[in-house]
Amino acid sequence: MRKQSLLGEGTTNRCGTVEGVDLSLRLLQSLEAVAAEGSMTRAARVLNLTQQAVSGQIRQLERVVGTPLVERRPTGIELTPAGEVVLKQGAALLSSAQAMVTEARLTAAGRPDPLRITFKAQSTAHFMPAVEAALRREAPELEVRPIASHTLPDEIDALVEGRADAAFLWLPIGDDPRFTIHPLLEEDRWVALPPGHPLESRTTLCIADLADVPVVGPRDGMPDAVVNFWFIDPRPDGRRAIFGPQARTPEECLHLVAAGHGCWIAPASTVTYFAHPKLTWLPLVDAPPNILALIWPKHTANPLLHLLLDQTRRTLHPTPLPTATT
């Protein structure tokens, strides 16, 4: 987390500091996340902090400004009029500070190496082009080199072997301490059903509805915790999931479902990316959500990764995705 101070109105002393205002960028980042998420808990997840830390930073920002910036309502946390002002002006300050740091680092380093990002197309198509455009505005000399992957092991191998600098991937990734993990967003889970399936006339599904339905998907090379999450195994009632045929790619999963071998449980963004003429997609309303994250190896020195993270967070949240209804 960046630790720079922003200077506001006040009296400048001989050292160039400003008396009366000591505003850290991290406070503005917390307000931005709370405004986007409408929740301290969800903002903490996005920022990879504790809920207590985010709440404390909001209180600290309110002390700096001298007035309440958020208010809690039954529908969630909303900004006060003063909070809206701080959010608007703070976004400009954050962008300016990031541009300053990026330009200085690129100037010192010369033309940067390509930023290599591994991703799954169906998970990132709704935001990655906009992120790349934002990166080009901030760092015109930067080349973004996308690397398409199909499975979690593909993405992890690309990072470990040095073929990629960062990865957009779904959590969990298992007990792997080698990476810095930045959760970005949550998506509902949806289920692809084969043609003529008895459940296809429903508008929503619950986990219990899939008790006797095999689930297709990749398993080889996956940590047990990852397989358990994606296949929802065991089920809330203690029953074990029925494992259908394995499939490595989304296209293989869709084929197996269309051929009647079972269902496929996937994130909401998959529904908008794959329009299969033979399948029915239904939301799974009581399953834990999928969480998309940006990760990179710990102790990396690439200064562009935080720029990538910042621009991704700014791009993601206005994007609508299919929402499960109960």
Side-chain angles (χ1 to χ4, degrees), residues 120 150-153 215-223 226-227 230-231 243-250 252-253 256 264-265:
K120 298 182 182 73
H150 291 302
T151 67
L152 175 63
V215 183
V216 306
R219 299 194 301 276
D220 286 345
M222 299 284 198
V226 176
V227 174
W230 284 96
F231 287 80
F243 292 97
Q246 292 207 58
R248 179 174 173 80
T249 69
E252 291 174 357
C253 289
L256 289 173
W264 180 34
I265 304 172

Side-chain angles (χ1 to χ4, degrees), residues 184-254:
L184 296 170
L185 59 78
E186 294 183 355
E187 289 187 14
D188 298 323
R189 291 210 243 185
W190 288 58
V191 180
L193 294 172
H197 194 277
L199 295 172
E200 70 175 1
S201 61
R202 301 275 295 274
T203 57
T204 63
L205 295 175
C206 295
I207 297 172
D209 296 324
L210 304 178
D212 300 317
V213 183
V215 183
V216 306
R219 299 194 301 276
D220 286 345
M222 299 284 198
D224 289 343
V226 176
V227 174
N228 294 343
F229 177 83
W230 284 96
F231 287 80
I232 313 179
D233 181 55
R235 302 294 165 79
D237 62 1
R239 297 179 64 176
R240 302 305 302 265
I242 301 175
F243 292 97
Q246 292 207 58
R248 179 174 173 80
T249 69
E251 290 83 0
E252 291 174 357
C253 289
L254 292 169

Side-chain angles (χ1 to χ4, degrees), residues 23-43:
L23 184 59
S24 171
L25 290 175
R26 71 181 186 276
L27 306 183
L28 296 174
Q29 290 171 326
S30 289
L31 182 67
E32 191 174 62
V34 169
E37 297 295 331
S39 162
M40 294 286 184
T41 301
R42 291 195 296 271

Side-chain angles (χ1 to χ4, degrees), residues 57-76:
Q57 289 175 0
I58 296 299
R59 290 194 298 270
Q60 184 179 347
L61 183 57
E62 289 177 329
R63 288 195 295 270
V64 170
V65 178
T67 188
L69 302 177
V70 301
E71 54 186 356
R72 289 167 174 80
R73 296 185 175 180
T75 56

Side-chain angles (χ1 to χ4, degrees), residues 31-32 79 82-94 314:
L31 182 67
E32 191 174 62
L79 298 186
E84 295 286 356
V85 171
V86 174
L87 178 67
K88 180 180 178 180
Q89 299 293 338
L93 289 170
L94 286 168
R314 292 174 182 275

Side-chain angles (χ1 to χ4, degrees), residues 2-326:
R2 295 188 292 272
K3 302 293 185 182
Q4 301 100 318
S5 292
L6 295 176
L7 303 182
E9 294 182 357
T11 303
T12 304
N13 63 25
R14 291 181 181 179
C15 297
T17 59
V18 176
E19 297 174 359
V21 175
D22 183 12
L23 184 59
S24 171
L25 290 175
R26 71 181 186 276
L27 306 183
L28 296 174
Q29 290 171 326
S30 289
L31 182 67
E32 191 174 62
V34 169
E37 297 295 331
S39 162
M40 294 286 184
T41 301
R42 291 195 296 271
R45 188 177 298 122
V46 167
L47 295 171
N48 203 24
L49 298 172
T50 65
Q51 186 270 336
Q52 291 81 0
V54 173
S55 297
Q57 289 175 0
I58 296 299
R59 290 194 298 270
Q60 184 179 347
L61 183 57
E62 289 177 329
R63 288 195 295 270
V64 170
V65 178
T67 188
L69 302 177
V70 301
E71 54 186 356
R72 289 167 174 80
R73 296 185 175 180
T75 56
I77 293 179
E78 297 184 7
L79 298 186
T80 64
E84 295 286 356
V85 171
V86 174
L87 178 67
K88 180 180 178 180
Q89 299 293 338
L93 289 170
L94 286 168
S95 179
S96 177
Q98 182 61 68
M100 175 192 68
V101 173
T102 300
E103 183 176 352
R105 288 172 174 172
L106 294 180
T107 299
R111 183 177 178 85
D113 292 331
L115 185 60
R116 303 162 301 169
I117 307 171
T118 183
F119 68 103
K120 298 182 182 73
Q122 71 275 15
S123 305
T124 59
H126 59 289
F127 70 86
M128 196 165 170
V131 171
E132 184 172 344
L135 289 171
R136 286 197 302 270
R137 289 192 297 270
E138 293 289 337
E141 296 297 313
L142 174 63
E143 175 191 353
V144 176
R145 186 170 297 173
I147 304 170
S149 299
H150 291 302
T151 67
L152 175 63
D154 290 341
E155 293 180 299
I156 296 297
D157 288 347
L159 292 173
V160 172
E161 295 169 7
R163 293 182 284 110
D165 301 300
F168 289 112
L169 47 71
W170 296 105
L171 302 179
I173 63 172
D175 185 15
D176 197 327
R178 293 174 293 179
F179 303 105
T180 297
I181 299 174
H182 302 275
L184 296 170
L185 59 78
E186 294 183 355
E187 289 187 14
D188 298 323
R189 291 210 243 185
W190 288 58
V191 180
L193 294 172
H197 194 277
L199 295 172
E200 70 175 1
S201 61
R202 301 275 295 274
T203 57
T204 63
L205 295 175
C206 295
I207 297 172
D209 296 324
L210 304 178
D212 300 317
V213 183
V215 183
V216 306
R219 299 194 301 276
D220 286 345
M222 299 284 198
D224 289 343
V226 176
V227 174
N228 294 343
F229 177 83
W230 284 96
F231 287 80
I232 313 179
D233 181 55
R235 302 294 165 79
D237 62 1
R239 297 179 64 176
R240 302 305 302 265
I242 301 175
F243 292 97
Q246 292 207 58
R248 179 174 173 80
T249 69
E251 290 83 0
E252 291 174 357
C253 289
L254 292 169
H255 170 79
L256 289 173
V257 175
H261 293 286
C263 71
W264 180 34
I265 304 172
S269 52
T270 303
V271 182
T272 58
Y273 192 84
F274 288 108
H276 196 288
K278 299 291 187 182
L279 304 184
T280 297
W281 284 100
L282 294 174
L284 192 59
V285 297
D286 60 343
N290 293 111
I291 299 176
L292 186 72
L294 177 65
I295 81 166
W296 59 71
K298 286 183 177 177
H299 312 303
T300 182
N302 191 331
L304 295 171
L305 293 175
H306 285 283
L307 177 64
L308 170 62
L309 176 63
D310 180 68
Q311 294 302 324
T312 301
R313 284 175 170 163
R314 292 174 182 275
T315 301
L316 269 173
H317 296 286
T319 306
L321 289 168
T323 302
T325 56
T326 57

